[in-house]
Amino acid sequence: MAEFWTEYLAPFLWIAGKILLFVVPVALTMAFLTLAERRIIGAMQLRIGPNVIGPFGLLQPFADAVKLLFKETVVPTGASTVVFFLAPMVTFSLALLGWAVIPVSAGWYISNLNVGVLYLFAISSLGVYGIVMAGWASNSRYAFLGAMRSAAQMVSYEVSIGFVMIAVLLTAGTLNLSELVESQRGMWYFLPHFPMFIVFFISVLAETNRHPFDLPEAESELVAGFMTEYSSMSFALFFLGEYINMIAMSAMVTTLFLGGWLGPQDMLPGLGFLEVVLGWVPGIIWFAAKVAFCLFIFIWVRATLPRFRYDQLMRLGWKVFLPLSLAWLILTAGFLVYTGKLAH
Amino acid sequence: MIIASLAFYLFSFMAIVGALNVIFQRNPVHSVLWLIFTFFNAAALFVLLGAEFVAMILVVVYVGAVAVLFLFVVMMLDINVVVLREGFLKYLPAGALVGVILLVELAIVFGGWTMAPDAESLRLVPTPNPSDVANTQALGQVLYTKYAYLFEASGLVLLVAMIGAIVLTMRTRTGVRKQKISEQVGRDAKETVVMVQVQSGKGLS
């Protein structure tokens, strides 16, 4: 019995606890991200935004959640019911799955996977399924068009994301995310890989179907795209999935380019006393700050840029980003071989 | 280890269930979804083997790219399975014959299968000790040293296939209005805008 406890039950409870420690903060961030988005866009457009429920409108997300819970669930006629309800669940759980390998501080992760970068890439490339399933199962023209657009868009931008990732992990010489962050000590990768940092961020915008690439749900053409027929909790799951995806993608940008949990004193040595003070701040604070910065840019872009036309989107992905990232990959490999810095 | 073997039986059972469903679903889209489910279970089996790199590549390539295209095409085609089933009895003899021939061939192959005498030593030479290196690195060490030429050659075969597919589907269509961004950006105000002084009441002639 004691063996059962030490061999199975204790590790199981430990893993479950870790998962809970990740999921609860992520869910809370997601809730307040929806509020932050509305408040920030409000400020950018000289409005106030939601400020009535709770102090500074802080309870607005919970009011929204309760409202959505009590709405009626509508299933369209001719819908493929199982797939129809599976789709939001797939989206939501895939958005959460990525967090399994992201290190939020030194040694703070659920799983220290050897192929962490590949795992993240695999999970982000699966996000398309929830959308395609939703679009097909809804038995609706608008939803189907949205899903088709989304599938083409996500497949296209995945290619450049993949090449950028390869360039980064050639420099780091590891597929393990913790080691990748450690290898950025002194030189965060957004500096040497600056053009790819920009390409990666724009591709992430397309991958999460955010503005200015939100064609799958372009409300002026497709009502709400693949979400048209969803209501109540199934709609809420899509909505939450999209926002958690944004946070996960920001965490990915932070880990790959912005030095993960490393503080700014790592990049700017010689600050004297300030360096000591900054060294006291725990890594997770820096990680959260960087993620928040990326999320702010997500929202900023939404408030600033108009939506791309579909052919422009495809042109940018295939004719601009793909050659650029491929060329940069070859350049990186050549540079590393030439300087003898290629990690083995 | 009991958990590992339980997981193995779970994933293999699910893979078989998924594969059977691929064949027996009435709706082709459901078939593709079950196929994706099967891929996932196969990837999980690779993880249990300790081959996490192959597992991730399986998910990235097959689930993330190939199956998306499958799904894309199957959704666009309006396949009616009932119509397809109509000729079932007519084609049954021919199909059964092909099946029997394949089965006999497989039986012959497996019946005469022996290990090549020096296969064991060949297997041992290029394989690094799995406890020393991660399996991504181990695969790279084998693929890019011992089998570098074969690996590059297979890459070239894929490249030829890709170019072939592009050439087959490419056609120049006339009358398509395309945005040429370089032209738009390269336009000069001097060539495109004419400043005129319009006299009141006369207009431009």
Side-chain angles (χ1 to χ4, degrees), chain A residues 44 64 78 85 95 104 140 148-149 157 181 237 248 267 270 283 290 305 320 339:
Chain A
M44 285 178 178
D64 287 343
F85 284 114
V104 292
S140 148
M148 287 291 113
R149 281 181 176 190
Y157 280 82
V181 172
L237 278 183
M267 278 279 280
K290 288 169 187 174
L305 294 177
V320 181
T339 54

Side-chain angles (χ1 to χ4, degrees), chain A residues 8 80 83 94 113-115 118-119 121-122 125-126 128-129 132-133 136 144 147-148 151-152 155 158 175 309 311-312 315 319 344, chain B residues 1-3 27 29-30 33 36 40 52-53 56-57 59-60 62-65 67-68 71-72 75-76 134-137 178-179 181:
Chain A
Y8 299 120
S80 177
V83 183
L94 281 177
L113 205 59
N114 259 334
V115 286
L118 269 179
Y119 174 84
F121 184 59
S125 70
L126 295 181
V128 64
Y129 280 112
V132 170
M133 281 159 77
W136 179 77
F144 190 66
M148 287 291 113
V155 169
E158 231 158 63
L175 283 166
R309 219 172 51 210
D311 61 312
Q312 290 170 332
R315 181 186 162 276
K319 293 191 177 170
H344 287 290
Chain B
M1 281 325 280
I2 195 165
I3 299 239
N27 192 324
V29 175
H30 289 173
L33 291 176
I36 294 159
F40 262 118
E52 68 262 12
F53 181 77
M56 288 305 143
I57 290 296
V59 174
V60 170
Y62 281 91
V63 184
V68 173
L71 203 59
F72 208 84
M75 278 180 184
M76 301 288 260
N135 66 55
T136 314
Q137 212 178 345
K178 251 190 189 159
Q179 185 183 22
I181 295 200

Side-chain angles (χ1 to χ4, degrees), chain A:
Chain A
M1 195 61 207
E3 190 192 330
F4 174 75
W5 166 254
T6 51
E7 293 288 310
Y8 299 120
L9 203 58
F12 176 78
L13 287 178
W14 173 227
I15 292 171
K18 279 202 283 191
I19 292 173
L20 209 64
L21 277 180
F22 266 77
V23 168
V24 171
V26 167
L28 278 178
T29 316
M30 180 272 305
F32 287 113
L33 178 62
T34 59
L35 176 71
E37 177 167 35
R38 292 162 74 181
R39 290 296 298 241
I40 292 170
I41 290 183
M44 285 178 178
Q45 296 170 345
L46 296 180
R47 297 182 284 112
I48 298 173
N51 68 339
V52 178
I53 302 168
F56 309 107
L58 278 177
L59 295 178
Q60 181 73 36
F62 304 103
D64 287 343
V66 170
K67 183 195 81 172
L68 279 170
L69 263 173
F70 285 105
K71 292 267 182 183
E72 186 192 352
T73 306
V74 182
V75 184
T77 29
S80 177
T81 325
V82 178
V83 183
F84 185 77
F85 284 114
L86 208 58
M89 294 181 208
V90 166
T91 307
F92 185 72
S93 28
L94 281 177
L96 280 177
L97 267 179
W99 286 95
V101 293
I102 292 176
V104 292
S105 185
W108 291 22
Y109 41 70
I110 295 177
S111 164
N112 191 18
L113 205 59
N114 259 334
V115 286
V117 180
L118 269 179
Y119 174 84
L120 269 187
F121 184 59
I123 294 298
S124 72
S125 70
L126 295 181
V128 64
Y129 280 112
I131 293 171
V132 170
M133 281 159 77
W136 179 77
S138 296
N139 195 29
S140 148
R141 294 290 174 275
Y142 291 125
F144 190 66
L145 282 173
M148 287 291 113
R149 281 181 176 190
S150 164
Q153 172 181 336
M154 290 173 90
V155 169
S156 309
Y157 280 82
E158 231 158 63
V159 183
S160 46
I161 285 191
F163 280 124
V164 175
M165 276 183 168
I166 295 174
V168 167
L169 52 93
L170 264 183
T171 333
T174 176
L175 283 166
N176 183 310
L177 285 168
S178 302
E179 287 172 24
L180 201 143
V181 172
E182 278 304 326
S183 74
Q184 297 189 45
R185 240 174 226 293
M187 177 64 89
W188 300 355
Y189 287 150
F190 81 97
L191 276 179
H193 288 293
F194 189 73
M196 288 306 102
F197 174 56
I198 303 295
V199 166
F200 192 79
F201 196 85
I202 297 174
S203 302
V204 160
L205 285 180
E207 192 76 4
T208 45
N209 293 324
R210 288 286 298 179
H211 295 253
F213 307 114
D214 64 332
L215 290 143
E217 43 194 288
E219 63 270 10
S220 51
E221 311 154 33
L222 296 181
V223 190
F226 63 91
M227 294 194 219
T228 307
E229 306 294 342
Y230 283 88
S231 56
S232 181
M233 271 326 274
S234 47
F235 169 77
L237 278 183
F238 265 124
F239 195 71
L240 305 186
E242 188 184 322
Y243 278 83
I244 293 180
N245 232 337
M246 273 167 67
I247 306 171
M249 286 292 189
S250 303
M252 200 158 115
V253 172
T254 308
T255 318
L256 289 180
F257 287 100
L258 297 178
W261 65 78
L262 303 173
Q265 78 276 10
D266 174 59
M267 278 279 280
L268 311 161
L271 289 175
F273 179 66
L274 195 61
E275 199 174 330
V276 180
V277 176
L278 288 175
W280 283 336
V281 180
I284 186 156
I285 303 283
W286 294 123
F287 184 84
K290 288 169 187 174
V291 169
F293 172 73
C294 292
L295 288 172
F296 178 76
I297 299 183
F298 266 89
I299 297 167
W300 187 9
V301 166
R302 178 177 175 182
T304 314
L305 294 177
R307 186 176 298 130
F308 265 53
R309 219 172 51 210
Y310 193 66
D311 61 312
Q312 290 170 332
L313 173 89
M314 283 295 146
R315 181 186 162 276
L316 185 70
W318 289 106
K319 293 191 177 170
V320 181
F321 282 179
L322 179 60
L324 199 64
S325 52
L326 205 54
W328 190 266
L329 172 61
I330 294 167
L331 194 72
T332 311
F335 179 80
L336 288 173
V337 170
Y338 182 71
T339 54
K341 282 181 181 161
L342 194 65
H344 287 290

